[in-house]
């Protein structure tokens, strides 16, 4: 079958405004991914196309972009999920919204990672390790409390689909809240009060208006809005 791609292009060095590049690919398969198609455009038609990718299998989180109007990982989006008829599929590809475009499909991830760093996304426990010197034990029930939020791959599909973040990028954003949740609800961690205080700040969790775009965008199917609600409840109750 054939794919007709419209790709948002932008090069800050040529002085031109953003424009749409149009590319036709023959002999594609319904089992190809959007990343496969982007590689064919770059390798066969226009080597100047700029995009990020690494693993190609939904693990590294580097190729999130806006595909037919919805944020997704290019390497996890199969052609057969994008419809198409008469053996032609039309695909529109844009950089993630809400983040400054550096070139073509590459956005500036610094604001995203600044928010990530602001929530203390690391384990805090200054107590000596137990006498056997091996591990800090945790019950299966306690582990299950934050299992979902361990799956985040920091792709930014959620934060860049959030209207509250578009309105004001000082909002810490759903991804950073997911990262905070992962440690706030870990029974072995000792810094939940500090993290809850960060979450309760002006641009913290209360900026979330329960719009759900984040949950719909997450390629790991993390229940982000539910995790945000748990953090809100922990702030109001003072308990985790
Ligand atoms: Fe990506 Fe999901 Fe993590 Fe957000 S929560 S950064 S969408 S993996
Ligand atoms: Fe935004 Fe998700 Fe809340 S889209 S408003 S962070 S539920
Ligand atoms: Fe690594 Fe898609 S290239 S997640």
């Amino acid at each position: 079958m054939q794919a007709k791609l419209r790709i948002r292009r932008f090069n800050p060095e040529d002085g031109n405004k953003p424009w749409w590049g149009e590319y036709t690919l023959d002999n594609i398969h319904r089992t190809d991914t959007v990343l496969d198609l982007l590689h064919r455009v770059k390798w066969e038609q226009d080597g100047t196309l700029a995009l990020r990718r690494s693993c190609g299998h939904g693990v590294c989180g580097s190729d999130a972009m806006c595909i037919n109007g919805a944020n997704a990982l290019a390497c996890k989006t199969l052609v057969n999920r994008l419809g198409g008829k008469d053996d032609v599929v039309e695909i529109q590809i844009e950089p993630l919204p809400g983040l400054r475009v550096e070139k073509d499909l590459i956005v500036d991830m610094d604001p995203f990672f600044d928010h990530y760093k602001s929530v203390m996304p690391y384990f805090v426990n200054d107590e000596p390790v137990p006498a056997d010197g091996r591990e800090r034990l945790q019950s299966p029930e306690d582990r299950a409390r934050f299992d979902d939020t361990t799956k985040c791959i920091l792709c930014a599909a959620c934060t860049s689909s959030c209207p509250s973040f578009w309105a004001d990028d000082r909002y810490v954003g759903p991804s950073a809240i997911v990262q905070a949740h992962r440690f706030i609800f870990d029974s072995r961690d000792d810094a939940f009060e500090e993290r809850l205080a960060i979450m309760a700040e002006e641009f913290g969790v209360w900026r979330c208006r329960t719009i759900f775009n984040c949950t719909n965008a997450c390629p790991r199917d993390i229940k982000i809005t539910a995790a945000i609600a748990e953090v809100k409840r922990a702030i109001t109750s003072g308990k985790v």
Side-chain angles (χ1 to χ4, degrees):
M1 67 183 292
Q2 188 181 66
K4 290 184 181 297
L5 273 60
R6 285 185 92 217
I7 305 176
R8 194 72 169 160
R9 305 291 308 268
F10 174 62
N11 181 354
E13 292 175 1
D14 67 14
N16 294 325
K17 291 184 175 165
W19 53 285
W20 289 103
E22 301 196 349
Y23 311 88
T24 300
L25 296 170
D26 293 320
N27 299 320
I28 66 144
H29 305 283
R30 289 201 172 272
T31 50
D32 286 340
T33 65
V34 170
L35 181 61
D36 293 328
L37 305 189
L38 288 169
H39 279 155
R40 280 193 55 190
V41 170
K42 185 171 177 68
W43 295 338
E44 298 171 9
Q45 299 190 22
D46 186 346
T48 68
L49 176 66
L51 67 148
R52 287 196 183 101
R53 80 286 192 216
S54 181
C55 69
H57 294 281
V59 177
C60 72
S62 62
D63 65 338
M65 53 191 73
C66 186
I67 301 169
N68 285 356
N71 287 358
L73 296 178
C75 67
K76 280 192 75 178
T77 305
L78 294 175
V79 166
N80 67 10
R81 287 204 205 139
L82 299 174
K85 54 183 180 183
D86 300 329
D87 280 344
V88 178
V89 62
E90 295 183 359
I91 307 172
Q92 181 165 299
I93 305 170
E94 300 163 82
L96 289 176
L99 294 166
R100 184 180 62 80
V101 178
E102 293 190 330
K103 186 169 188 246
D104 296 336
L105 301 175
I106 295 178
V107 294
D108 177 6
M109 294 286 280
D110 283 353
F112 174 80
F113 283 111
D114 287 345
H115 286 313
Y116 166 67
K117 288 181 227 163
S118 76
V119 303
M120 304 169 62
Y122 42 79
F123 186 68
V124 178
N125 187 327
D126 294 332
E127 296 296 316
V129 287
D132 67 8
R134 296 207 326 220
E135 58 187 324
R136 300 175 196 275
L137 294 176
Q138 183 172 53
S139 71
E141 293 75 25
D142 282 345
R143 176 63 177 75
R145 294 193 70 199
F146 62 95
D147 188 64
D148 200 34
T149 47
T150 64
K151 297 187 296 187
C152 176
I153 54 172
L154 294 170
C155 70
C158 55
T159 296
S160 64
S161 69
C162 172
S164 292
F165 181 75
W166 298 339
D168 192 331
D169 65 5
R170 289 174 293 181
Y171 169 40
V172 70
S175 175
I177 299 170
V178 162
Q179 293 296 326
H181 179 285
R182 182 257 170 269
F183 292 100
I184 288 169
F185 293 94
D186 186 335
S187 60
R188 302 162 302 177
D189 186 276
D190 281 345
F192 82 91
E193 286 174 334
E194 279 174 79
R195 282 196 203 86
L196 287 182
I198 294 167
M199 289 286 99
E201 286 173 358
E202 183 182 1
F203 295 102
V205 77
W206 300 113
R207 292 269 161 170
C208 167
R209 302 289 192 258
T210 322
I211 296 169
F212 273 92
N213 283 12
C214 54
T215 300
N216 294 335
C218 181
R220 304 301 301 246
D221 295 326
I222 297 170
K223 296 178 185 64
I224 302 174
T225 313
I228 294 171
E230 286 184 356
V231 174
K232 287 176 176 174
R233 273 198 298 275
I235 292 171
T236 51
S237 69
K239 293 193 299 233
V240 295

